Amino acid sequence: MADAAGRGVWVSQYRSAGNNTAGVPSLMFVDNEGNVTFNSGRSPYIDMLNGSDRAGFAVNDAADMLVVNDGSGILQFYDLTWDGTTPDIAPKYSYKADACNSAGSIFQMAFDYAGNLVCAGGNIGIYSLPTDENVHTTPACGEGSTIKVPAAVNETRVDKIIVGERYYDIRGIEYSHPVKGVNIIVRTYSDGSTQSIKVIK
């Protein structure tokens, strides 16, 4: 994977637990001159990374975070710093992702535009990562526009309360509860307004 700043390329290969070695490392960085400036099989990294199950890894757009699915099926997150073309990693946190296949493997990972981690193994997983402020800012299209979404809800406000629901099938026959197939639910709210929605059960 090419480094976003043009310093070189990351190379990852499948290494099972305990098999991240200097001769066959889980992860390397090779600069534009062909020099290996990072080898996860060398000290001190060999003790930080227990393999790379199916070689799944990702680096965020800011090139300050790296994540690897280690040899035991755990996502290992690292702070990533740079000295010229030489990267350095420091453990940040770990997470057992539910996107793994039955063997604990994640085959591909990437950070999306919003900074979420997207993983593909046996399932697809999208993970919103913690921040110091617990607020995520997603850049929007256009000049200087952003949408801020709080990571936690501290206050709720309800303008409308559902006071009744009526259930109909597609023929218009009313039932006391949703039925198998297509249902049209007519909701009545506390302000007297109604809303019709179509639900398949």
Side-chain angles (χ1 to χ4, degrees):
M1 175 177 79
D3 171 54
R7 292 173 281 226
V9 295
W10 288 97
V11 180
S12 176
Q13 59 184 339
Y14 171 48
R15 302 301 297 151
S16 59
N19 288 306
N20 176 32
T21 63
V24 188
S26 295
L27 191 62
M28 296 187 313
F29 187 81
V30 181
D31 70 13
N32 293 327
E33 305 298 319
N35 302 307
V36 175
T37 61
F38 177 88
N39 180 327
S40 67
R42 294 200 174 120
S43 184
Y45 311 112
I46 192 166
D47 296 326
M48 292 183 208
L49 185 58
N50 183 28
S52 52
D53 193 26
R54 303 297 181 218
F57 85 105
V59 176
N60 68 351
D61 286 344
D64 62 4
M65 182 186 296
L66 179 138
V67 60
V68 175
N69 186 42
D70 76 6
S72 58
I74 305 292
L75 295 177
Q76 299 293 341
F77 292 82
Y78 300 94
D79 283 322
L80 178 60
T81 56
W82 295 87
D83 181 10
T85 62
T86 302
D88 189 27
I89 60 172
K92 188 173 182 81
Y93 44 81
S94 302
Y95 182 72
K96 176 69 174 165
D98 57 1
C100 299
N101 68 5
S102 61
S105 302
I106 290 180
F107 302 99
Q108 296 181 3
M109 286 187 247
F111 286 92
D112 69 10
Y113 192 64
N116 301 306
L117 181 64
V118 181
C119 300
N123 300 301
I124 301 292
I126 302 173
Y127 305 98
S128 180
L129 305 179
T131 65
D132 293 335
E133 304 83 27
N134 274 335
V135 173
H136 298 278
T137 303
T138 303
C141 296
E143 294 186 26
S145 299
T146 58
I147 301 167
K148 289 190 178 187
V149 179
V153 176
N154 297 321
E155 176 183 318
T156 60
R157 186 178 132 213
V158 178
D159 292 328
K160 292 182 177 184
I161 298 172
I162 299 172
V163 295
E165 286 188 335
R166 294 167 61 191
Y167 309 99
Y168 300 90
D169 67 11
I170 59 172
R171 297 170 295 170
I173 298 172
E174 186 173 358
Y175 293 89
S176 61
H177 58 279
V179 295
K180 186 173 182 175
V182 177
N183 291 269
I184 298 169
I185 301 173
V186 178
R187 289 188 174 151
T188 303
Y189 295 95
S190 57
D191 66 358
S193 64
T194 61
Q195 176 189 27
S196 297
I197 58 172
K198 193 183 327 178
V199 176
I200 299 175
K201 181 177 177 187

